[in-house]
Amino acid sequence: EPEVTQTPSHQVTQMGQEVILRCVPISNHLYFYWYRQILGQKVEFLVSFYNNEISEKSEIFDDQFSVERPDGSNFTLKIRSTKLEDSAMYFCASSSSGGGQETQYFGPGTRLLVL
Amino acid sequence: AQTVTQSQPEMSVQEAETVTLSCTYDTSENNYYLFWYKQPPSRQMILVIRQEAYKQQNATENRFSVNFQKAAKSFSLKISDSQLGDTAMYFCAFTSGGTSYGKLTFGQGTILTVHP
């Protein structure tokens, strides 16, 4: 069964460093998402991406964040200058259509720790 | 803005028993979708069940079923014949069926522990 994959599974970085989190969505999916979950808290939407552009973003997704689909398979989240409060689990998800008609499938997550 | 509320931070149940997890939501929309996701200790998010708001019939998936009360904006999850592998955090989630690109809004989660 197709699945969303994410690399790395764990990332430790120093405050102020740039990190890139990578995701490979399910191959025939067209809508891509990033969510984050701070330890012990709920899952929060960051951004959605369709047709090579951001379709929606949350207040959390400020200028420090960017997303890119550099080729036909990868979908990346970049944090330019990490802060302590960026420590969280980051989930990538994909779906074949937007608007809820099709289910979003989640990757296993990347656990980011900023020291 | 849509909100999703799960009022039970923790629940526990004996193996083979039935448990119901509560979820309420607030929206002014008529077309939307509701989901229950399971997050085991591995922290992977796994879809348990989904419900389309335009469908009156409650969704079922094997031991999992929902009680969808549209007027009351309630969407509870019933787990029958609970198994040890059901131990996890359960999240209720909402997405608009309108012009939204599928952004999911999650509740705070309910930690479910199944005891042998």
Side-chain angles (χ1 to χ4, degrees):
Chain A
E1 185 173 324
E3 58 184 20
V4 177
T5 59
Q6 290 185 243
T7 55
S9 57
H10 294 78
Q11 174 102 38
V12 180
T13 190
Q14 295 291 323
M15 191 169 59
Q17 295 295 303
E18 174 184 286
V19 295
I20 297 176
L21 309 183
R22 292 183 167 79
C23 168
V24 179
I26 293 173
S27 62
N28 63 343
H29 284 185
L30 301 174
Y31 294 78
F32 313 114
Y33 310 86
W34 283 101
Y35 295 84
R36 80 169 184 191
Q37 184 183 30
I38 295 171
L39 187 63
Q41 298 186 22
K42 66 178 177 179
V43 179
E44 300 172 290
F45 169 78
L46 290 178
V47 66
S48 59
F49 191 85
Y50 169 70
N51 200 26
N52 279 320
E53 60 183 28
I54 290 173
S55 45
E56 190 175 3
K57 61 183 181 179
S58 72
E59 292 175 354
I60 302 167
F61 195 88
D62 61 22
D63 292 343
Q64 293 297 316
F65 291 89
S66 62
V67 288
E68 193 179 29
R69 188 151 161 84
D71 52 44
S73 59
N74 290 282
F75 179 52
T76 63
L77 173 69
K78 183 193 289 186
I79 309 175
R80 253 178 226 103
S81 178
T82 50
K83 307 183 186 80
L84 296 177
E85 55 265 36
D86 293 328
S87 294
M89 191 77 150
Y90 288 81
F91 291 103
C92 173
S94 70
S95 64
S96 56
S97 71
Q101 289 95 336
E102 296 297 328
T103 298
Q104 288 180 35
Y105 292 92
F106 282 73
T110 293
R111 194 185 298 259
L112 176 66
L113 178 61
V114 182
L115 301 175
Chain B
Q2 292 85 5
T3 59
V4 179
T5 302
Q6 293 178 249
S7 58
Q8 305 154 315
E10 294 185 47
M11 294 281 284
S12 64
V13 64
Q14 292 295 125
E15 198 174 6
E17 302 276 299
T18 295
V19 64
T20 299
L21 308 184
S22 302
C23 172
T24 58
Y25 58 94
D26 189 25
T27 183
S28 57
E29 299 186 24
N30 196 46
N31 179 24
Y32 52 88
Y33 300 80
L34 296 161
F35 307 84
W36 280 97
Y37 280 89
K38 168 184 176 181
Q39 187 180 44
S42 66
R43 297 191 75 183
Q44 170 98 44
M45 295 287 288
I46 303 164
L47 177 71
V48 175
I49 199 165
R50 60 176 277 148
Q51 174 80 43
E52 293 85 354
Y54 62 83
K55 288 187 178 178
Q56 290 188 329
Q57 187 172 9
N58 289 324
T60 63
E61 281 289 338
N62 301 314
R63 297 183 295 107
F64 299 89
S65 61
V66 299
N67 182 3
F68 174 48
Q69 301 288 327
K70 191 171 184 178
K73 296 180 181 172
S74 168
F75 181 62
S76 60
L77 173 70
K78 185 170 87 171
I79 306 174
S80 304
D81 186 25
S82 298
Q83 300 175 359
L84 296 177
D86 295 333
T87 293
M89 174 85 96
Y90 287 80
F91 290 98
C92 178
F94 168 103
T95 191
S96 168
T99 56
S100 161
Y101 287 90
K103 161 190 168 183
L104 285 169
T105 300
F106 286 87
Q108 303 92 320
T110 297
I111 298 172
L112 175 67
T113 304
V114 180
H115 297 286

